[in-house]
Amino acid sequence: MDQQRQITVLQASAITISTIVGVGVLSLPLAAVRAADAGAPLVTLLGAALSILASMLIVWLGMRFPNESYIEYSEKLIGKGLARTIIIIWILYFAILSSLIAREFGEVVITAVLRNTPLEVTVIVMLLLAAFTSRKNIMTFAYIHTFYIPFILVPVLLIVALSLKNADVVNVLPLWGNEPSGIVKGFFMLSTMFQGYFIMMMVIPSMRSPKKAMRSIWLAMLITSILYVLVVSATVSVFGAEETKKLLWPTLELAKDTSLPANILERLDAVFLAVWVTAVYTSLFSCYYFTIYSIGKLFRLQDHGMLSFFILPFLFLLAMLPQSLVQLNEINALITQFGVALTIAYPGLLLLVSLLRKKRGNQKQ
């Protein structure tokens, strides 16, 4: 454990950010305007607030058991039978989520870039990349995320900043939207875009100082929330709510509509797609790694790396099950909403039990 306890606060934040910012950033403004029209930035902010609360539950729970995996303290708190049943559901959920990320990546690539490339090729390439890198230990996992984080954040913020020259503030008024009831209905759905905070359940036992985990999640969620609110605000202010509803991937259209000063680059969609591919990879990497990590801990395996290629065929088959992009979006919406409930309810239950029973793990660092 001591050899693996090397992840710093900044590395933990980088892992969380690059897990959250992924495939969903393309359709984020579309989901927001469907929920609240011009109130899209507000509903995104409220979704972020709900996610921050949920992430705090996970981190608070992990800080109470800093030297144990979430599977180990789950069994201690609610019993092996119930804990293992729920953990199997968790594993299935993250396996399905991994396959959906790979499939959505494939759909975007064959639609926007490689139109003559078979969908199966793009999906299997991304899954193979995740499988190869998932064989490594937790420190390599942290290094990969930390290395890629500047390549994700800086270009996105640059595109948002440059796009504001075409913005019209009238498009984001009134702040609460034309139908305020949409705010109430939509903020839970928007919180699904932030559910990558679940990765802290795996990261905390490997942190150099688990007592600082709350600082790490606050930093990560703050940066991600600001980024997502800016993306939604920029998109809606440039296109307007009604026009955004007609766009399949509004953020990509925003990049197409943005240029560098002096027309050095008239369109930034190529740059954005390169950034997006990196973001998709890091999100898929986290979900894939979390899946095999959970299986390894459940069966008390010494090395989870052997599972990396074992689950790949199953994930590929799951990824190819949706018959169309419409069906994929429907399944994705259902699965992610179930996932938010799962990632809030289960850690919340464990935290409540640990407080009522006054259970804590070994606090020795």
Side-chain angles (χ1 to χ4, degrees):
M1 177 66 73
D2 290 339
Q3 293 178 346
Q4 292 296 307
R5 192 181 284 285
Q6 295 295 323
I7 296 178
T8 65
V9 170
L10 290 179
Q11 285 176 327
S13 296
I15 291 169
T16 308
I17 294 168
S18 58
T19 300
I20 294 173
V21 181
V23 67
V25 74
L26 284 184
S27 57
L28 172 66
L30 178 60
V33 296
R34 282 179 174 173
D37 293 310
L42 177 59
V43 79
T44 305
L45 183 61
L46 292 175
L50 176 62
S51 298
I52 290 172
L53 293 176
S55 66
M56 289 174 63
L57 288 179
I58 284 179
V59 171
W60 188 10
L61 177 64
M63 289 169 63
R64 292 179 65 87
F65 300 90
N67 299 306
E68 300 173 69
S69 72
Y70 77 96
I71 293 177
E72 291 169 337
Y73 62 70
S74 294
E75 294 177 354
K76 179 187 296 185
L77 291 172
I78 60 175
K80 286 188 177 181
L82 179 58
R84 291 187 176 185
T85 300
I86 297 176
I87 294 305
I88 289 172
I89 296 174
W90 267 74
I91 291 170
L92 290 174
Y93 167 70
F94 287 108
I96 294 171
L97 188 61
S98 300
S99 66
L100 291 176
I101 292 173
R103 173 62 184 271
E104 191 166 352
F105 166 79
E107 292 285 356
V108 175
V109 169
I110 66 170
T111 302
V113 187
L114 306 174
R115 298 184 180 181
N116 296 321
T117 303
L119 174 63
E120 293 81 1
V121 173
T122 57
V123 172
I124 195 65
V125 165
M126 186 56 79
L127 286 173
L128 279 169
L129 183 59
F132 272 113
T133 47
S134 294
R135 294 176 60 85
K136 306 300 181 180
N137 61 29
I138 191 73
M139 282 310 302
T140 304
F141 174 82
Y143 291 144
I144 289 173
H145 280 284
T146 306
F147 174 79
Y148 281 118
I149 197 67
F151 299 102
I152 295 173
L153 292 181
V154 175
V156 174
L157 290 172
L158 178 63
I159 290 171
V160 169
L162 292 172
S163 70
L164 293 178
K165 65 182 179 181
N166 302 319
D168 187 347
V169 70
V170 174
N171 289 330
V172 289
L173 295 176
L175 293 177
W176 48 87
N178 299 321
E179 187 59 49
S181 62
I183 299 287
V184 179
K185 296 177 182 177
F187 82 91
F188 177 81
M189 182 185 67
L190 264 294
S191 69
T192 64
M193 299 292 183
F194 296 85
Q195 64 179 312
Y197 54 73
F198 71 83
I199 201 67
M200 286 298 291
M201 297 185 77
M202 182 183 77
V203 170
I204 290 175
S206 297
M207 287 187 68
R208 188 177 299 171
S209 180
K211 293 179 180 179
K212 298 179 181 179
M214 194 64 76
R215 184 186 307 175
S216 173
I217 197 65
W218 268 106
L219 177 62
M221 295 304 292
L222 180 63
I223 292 173
T224 309
S225 300
I226 292 173
L227 179 69
Y228 272 15
V229 171
L230 286 176
V231 167
V232 172
S233 300
T235 305
V236 178
S237 62
V238 170
F239 298 117
E242 293 305 316
E243 182 64 26
T244 303
K245 291 178 183 178
K246 300 175 184 177
L247 303 175
L248 183 58
W249 294 304
T251 313
L252 181 58
E253 297 300 325
L254 181 69
K256 288 181 181 179
D257 200 52
T258 305
S259 61
L260 287 175
N263 288 329
I264 297 173
L265 279 176
E266 292 187 0
R267 288 172 33 171
L268 295 180
D269 50 319
V271 175
F272 179 78
L273 280 172
V275 173
W276 178 78
V277 169
T278 304
V280 171
Y281 162 67
T282 54
S283 294
L284 176 60
F285 179 34
S286 290
C287 290
Y288 202 107
Y289 197 100
F290 192 85
T291 302
I292 61 175
Y293 166 88
S294 299
I295 297 173
K297 291 296 183 181
L298 182 64
F299 293 102
R300 304 300 193 266
L301 301 178
Q302 293 296 319
D303 180 20
H304 65 260
M306 67 181 74
L307 299 168
S308 181
F309 287 97
F310 176 77
I311 69 168
L312 191 147
F314 301 102
L315 297 189
F316 177 73
L317 290 175
L318 285 173
M320 303 312 299
L321 283 179
Q323 298 301 305
S324 66
L325 183 58
V326 173
Q327 189 178 44
L328 173 65
N329 289 336
E330 291 173 351
I331 294 172
N332 205 7
L334 182 64
I335 290 295
T336 52
Q337 288 180 36
F338 169 76
V340 169
L342 186 65
T343 53
I344 293 175
Y346 185 52
L349 171 65
L350 293 180
L351 180 60
L352 180 62
V353 171
S354 70
L355 291 172
L356 292 176
R357 297 180 60 187
K358 299 181 180 179
K359 288 274 191 178
R360 301 180 71 93
N362 182 3
Q363 301 297 307
K364 183 179 179 181
Q365 301 298 313

